[in-house]
Amino acid sequence: MPSLPDYLASINFQNPTDRHRSLFAYANNTDLNMFEWFQIHPEQLKIFNDFQSSTAELDGYRMKPILESLLSTENEEDILSKISSEDEVILVDVGGGYGKTVREVCKEIPDPRGRVVIQDLPKIIEGQEVAHGVEAMAYDFFTPQPIHGSRIYLFRHIFHNWPDSACHQILQNTISALEPGYSRVIIIDVILPHKNVSKFNAFIDISMMAFGGMERTETQWRDLLQAVGLSIRNIRQPERASPISDSVIEAILAA
């Protein structure tokens, strides 16, 4: 954070636009973004992943009901109700890390009615085993999505790490795999209010500059998705709002 004023001046006090010109890169005089830097510093990567895993565990009580509603076949109105084969991939957790929440939810669902795949970089996926119908696949979301026609492509706390330009690339790589009229992009992330943002969320927004990212308002989410040909079908707000409550954005290919 000591480098923040100089960094902001270097980008004309605007939101970051280049994933290789993050606050982290500026402070450390490197062209690498933080995730690229982690790949050549495995000890720091482990600390980061352990932290991410612990935060997933802390907010699991919020995530589990969401994922259960997406995976359960008991509700006829659930968007998975038309799955026709257990061999189909029903959910791809893109950048899902260790997938602790997804794995726990799948333990509790007797019939997830399809395959669930967690994707992340090779050093994170290495050693993960297939369990409770959940598979692990090495994948970099800056390359085309190899799993085509999944019902759901889940992005939990992914896009706030990246500027719009990088998010466009990630989404375009996903769009190429979507089946029109069937596939959904599910984004679980914070939606900032347009005014009166809490001090905590303002701090998190600034903190995301370390990655080159940002938190977003509903208007910014809509603009981001519309720019790549997606439209928002539904936004599920948390029942009890708090500064760290996530919303669920459901997006589809625009008509």
Side-chain angles (χ1 to χ4, degrees):
M1 287 301 176
S3 299
L4 180 61
D6 290 340
Y7 171 70
L8 290 174
S10 76
I11 59 174
N12 297 317
F13 297 93
Q14 303 296 312
N15 284 318
T17 59
D18 184 343
R19 64 187 174 105
H20 294 290
R21 294 188 61 198
S22 64
L23 173 58
F24 172 84
Y26 183 88
N28 290 278
N29 193 28
T30 177
D31 291 330
L32 301 176
N33 64 50
M34 190 178 291
F35 294 103
E36 292 169 334
W37 185 86
F38 279 145
Q39 298 308 304
I40 57 177
H41 293 84
E43 291 183 0
Q44 297 299 318
L45 175 63
K46 183 179 186 306
I47 292 171
F48 177 79
N49 285 333
D50 287 345
F51 169 74
Q52 291 294 92
S53 182
S54 69
T55 60
E57 191 170 329
L58 285 172
D59 69 2
Y61 73 96
R62 290 198 305 269
M63 284 290 295
K64 283 186 178 181
I66 295 169
L67 292 181
E68 285 172 353
S69 71
L70 296 177
L71 293 173
S72 174
T73 59
E74 294 181 0
N75 185 351
E76 291 183 356
E77 295 182 357
D78 189 273
I79 63 174
L80 300 178
S81 63
K82 295 182 181 179
I83 295 293
S84 60
S85 170
E86 293 183 359
D87 292 329
E88 292 184 37
V89 176
I90 59 170
L91 187 150
V92 182
D93 188 359
V94 185
Y98 297 145
K100 291 188 69 172
T101 303
V102 170
R103 293 179 188 277
E104 287 300 316
V105 170
C106 287
K107 285 181 185 178
E108 300 174 12
I109 297 177
D111 180 18
R113 203 175 175 186
R115 295 163 53 209
V116 176
V117 179
I118 298 169
Q119 295 178 328
D120 216 308
L121 295 173
K123 289 186 179 180
I124 299 174
I125 291 298
E126 183 178 352
Q128 293 193 32
E129 299 178 355
V130 177
H132 303 285
V134 180
E135 309 166 30
M137 171 188 290
Y139 170 62
D140 178 352
F141 48 52
F142 287 109
T143 63
Q145 172 59 248
I147 298 178
H148 286 239
S150 175
R151 183 61 163 168
I152 294 170
Y153 294 87
L154 174 66
F155 294 87
R156 176 183 173 271
H157 295 175
I158 299 297
F159 295 116
H160 73 166
N161 293 321
W162 304 99
D164 284 356
S165 59
C167 293
H168 291 160
Q169 186 178 352
I170 296 167
L171 287 165
Q172 286 166 345
N173 286 329
T174 305
I175 286 172
S176 64
L178 301 183
E179 181 177 334
Y182 176 77
S183 298
R184 303 284 189 269
V185 174
I186 302 294
I187 299 169
I188 298 177
D189 229 320
V190 169
I191 298 180
L192 295 178
H194 288 93
K195 58 183 180 179
N196 299 324
V197 174
S198 70
K199 292 180 181 178
F200 177 83
N201 275 335
F203 170 74
I204 294 299
D205 186 25
I206 294 172
S207 298
M208 289 302 102
M209 288 188 179
F211 297 91
M214 57 189 284
E215 302 293 355
R216 293 176 172 87
T217 64
E218 180 177 334
T219 297
Q220 289 172 315
W221 279 114
R222 289 185 181 277
D223 289 345
L224 178 73
L225 296 170
Q226 184 178 3
V228 295
L230 292 171
S231 63
I232 292 179
R233 184 174 183 268
N234 187 30
I235 296 178
R236 306 179 199 180
Q237 302 283 0
E239 292 183 3
R240 296 182 180 180
S242 75
I244 56 174
S245 296
D246 291 324
S247 296
V248 180
I249 302 171
E250 179 184 347
I252 59 175
L253 287 170

